[in-house]
Amino acid sequence: MSVSLAKGQSVSLTTGDGSSMTHVRIALGWDAVRKGLFGGFRGADVDMDASAILYDAAGAHLDQAWFRQLKSRDGAVIHTGDNRTGAGEGDDESIIVHLDRMPAEVAQIVFTINSFTGQSFAQIQNAFCRLVDENTHTEIARFDVSQTGPHTAEIMAKVSRYDGGWAMTALGEIGNGRTFQDLLPSIAPTLSVPGPRSSAE
């Protein structure tokens, strides 16, 4: 059964028998706000971009996977491709993480979403981040983002080494910028918490 996470909550990435998950997918989705004839947005598409940024235990930026580099250098993190509109139901962009192939120096992976075309979160709706066990294709956790506003980016979640395994934490920290590079100063404070602050299991 999928867990609905609130901001700051975490879920352990373990299977039903207690073993660590080996292969997960972080999927993000959104819809452009479609207002009426005089609503202002005229149904414009919104190009949101998901990124995964890899850090070591000291908070040093090691690598990334995003639309301009679809794989981390070690191949353990794979971006499945750019969606420039958010059109359609379900997931819009996905990042696959091979936890069992993650280099030992990688301690945390932070997932962000940026408005590459510059529209604010006031112009998107139904934004979410969900975690899927790729071995069973089962949704493990979901974090729905309801906050709208003038910001153009959000630090959605992170996956961290924790207690010999991994855990996902919903972050939901707002920011601004067209790409993940613009968010690096805002990401730094989220790396100060090494593991789950509260359990959603």
Side-chain angles (χ1 to χ4, degrees), residues 53-81:
I53 306 98
L54 286 64
Y55 292 89
D56 67 15
H61 176 197
L62 300 174
D63 200 2
Q64 61 279 325
W66 62 312
F67 74 93
R68 289 178 177 163
Q69 179 191 317
L70 294 180
K71 291 184 180 181
S72 59
R73 289 187 294 272
D74 51 64
V77 181
I78 303 169
H79 192 302
T80 61

Side-chain angles (χ1 to χ4, degrees), residues 128-181:
F128 67 85
C129 173
R130 70 190 192 104
L131 173 77
V132 177
D133 182 345
E134 281 292 272
N135 290 319
T136 63
H137 302 290
T138 302
E139 180 178 297
I140 305 302
R142 175 181 288 258
F143 176 40
D144 291 314
V145 181
S146 59
Q147 58 187 331
T148 63
H151 56 286
T152 58
E154 186 156 332
I155 305 165
M156 298 285 284
K158 69 176 178 178
V159 169
S160 312
R161 292 191 189 272
Y162 178 72
D163 198 23
W166 294 87
M168 174 182 171
T169 303
L171 296 174
E173 299 292 340
I174 64 174
N176 287 287
R178 296 175 65 242
T179 69
F180 79 86
Q181 291 103 323

Side-chain angles (χ1 to χ4, degrees), residues 3-181:
V3 172
S4 180
L5 295 177
K7 181 177 178 177
Q9 287 187 318
S10 300
V11 61
S12 180
L13 305 190
T14 55
T15 64
D17 63 6
S19 59
S20 295
M21 294 180 189
T22 61
H23 184 196
V24 299
R25 176 165 52 93
I26 306 294
L28 298 99
W30 67 90
D31 295 313
V33 172
R34 307 291 185 182
K35 291 198 172 183
L37 182 61
F38 303 105
F41 296 147
R42 299 188 298 277
D45 292 327
V46 180
D47 182 5
M48 305 294 288
D49 291 320
S51 303
I53 306 98
L54 286 64
Y55 292 89
D56 67 15
H61 176 197
L62 300 174
D63 200 2
Q64 61 279 325
W66 62 312
F67 74 93
R68 289 178 177 163
Q69 179 191 317
L70 294 180
K71 291 184 180 181
S72 59
R73 289 187 294 272
D74 51 64
V77 181
I78 303 169
H79 192 302
T80 61
D82 190 16
N83 180 327
R84 298 183 178 180
T85 67
E89 299 295 324
D91 304 335
D92 291 312
E93 293 195 7
S94 293
I95 298 173
I96 296 170
V97 181
H98 295 271
L99 297 171
D100 56 339
R101 289 163 41 191
M102 196 63 59
E105 63 267 26
V106 177
Q108 301 186 77
I109 309 161
V110 176
F111 299 88
T112 63
I113 184 168
N114 293 74
S115 175
F116 186 73
T117 43
Q119 292 103 323
S120 74
F121 272 60
Q123 291 169 261
I124 67 168
Q125 60 188 351
N126 306 323
F128 67 85
C129 173
R130 70 190 192 104
L131 173 77
V132 177
D133 182 345
E134 281 292 272
N135 290 319
T136 63
H137 302 290
T138 302
E139 180 178 297
I140 305 302
R142 175 181 288 258
F143 176 40
D144 291 314
V145 181
S146 59
Q147 58 187 331
T148 63
H151 56 286
T152 58
E154 186 156 332
I155 305 165
M156 298 285 284
K158 69 176 178 178
V159 169
S160 312
R161 292 191 189 272
Y162 178 72
D163 198 23
W166 294 87
M168 174 182 171
T169 303
L171 296 174
E173 299 292 340
I174 64 174
N176 287 287
R178 296 175 65 242
T179 69
F180 79 86
Q181 291 103 323

